[in-house]
Amino acid sequence: MAKVIEGLYYSESHEFVRVEGDFGFIGITDYAQNALGNVVYVDVPEVDDEVSAGEEFGAVESVKAASDLISPVTGVVVEVNESLEDEPERINADAYENWIIKVSLADKSELDNLMDAKAYAAFCEK
């Protein structure tokens, strides 16, 4: 069973958002990294790029497959996790600690469209 953490928001495309103040840290879930296998590359946007809820913002590549990253929220990228450039496998070690991008949230009400931990755990069991 994949690890699901309370207090995060989850999308059906297996991204999570950890909210801190007006910022959201976006990454892929433990379920997603497990399904992908060994992550070998993470394609990320640039700082100051805009991301939109439901739109692609990058990709994660593993030895098995490539998967588009779909933003669960709208905002402007304020930081990218530089450590993933040289060590993308950090996502496999701990998907929740190794977020991919940090965005300034444009509309916090979008979080209402995402799942909480309990709903996401049930979604993954389907």
Side-chain angles (χ1 to χ4, degrees):
M1 170 86 185
K3 181 167 76 169
V4 177
I5 296 181
E6 290 289 334
L8 301 180
Y9 297 89
Y10 297 90
S11 68
E12 289 188 4
S13 53
H14 304 287
E15 286 84 14
F16 72 84
V17 182
R18 183 177 80 234
V19 176
E20 292 182 9
D22 292 329
F23 298 99
F25 293 83
I26 301 172
I28 65 169
T29 65
D30 189 55
Y31 180 92
Q33 72 78 22
N34 196 39
L36 278 168
N38 295 333
V39 174
V40 294
Y41 179 72
V42 182
D43 179 33
V44 296
E46 302 286 322
V47 169
D48 294 330
D49 281 359
E50 291 185 15
V51 296
S52 298
E55 299 290 319
E56 180 185 330
F57 71 86
V60 174
E61 294 179 19
S62 72
V63 290
K64 290 198 291 191
S67 181
D68 289 339
L69 294 167
I70 307 298
S71 185
V73 292
T74 301
V76 175
V77 179
V78 294
E79 189 179 342
V80 297
N81 188 343
E82 301 283 349
S83 67
L84 298 177
E85 196 174 319
D86 295 326
E87 299 176 273
E89 66 277 3
R90 292 172 71 123
I91 289 175
N92 296 119
D94 189 335
Y96 297 113
E97 279 301 309
N98 293 288
W99 49 273
I100 297 170
I101 60 171
K102 176 182 177 183
V103 300
S104 61
L105 297 169
D107 181 359
K108 281 190 169 177
S109 72
E110 288 179 337
L111 298 168
D112 298 338
N113 301 326
L114 302 173
M115 293 176 273
D116 63 12
K118 185 176 179 186
Y120 182 69
F123 176 76
C124 289
E125 286 175 10
K126 288 182 186 170

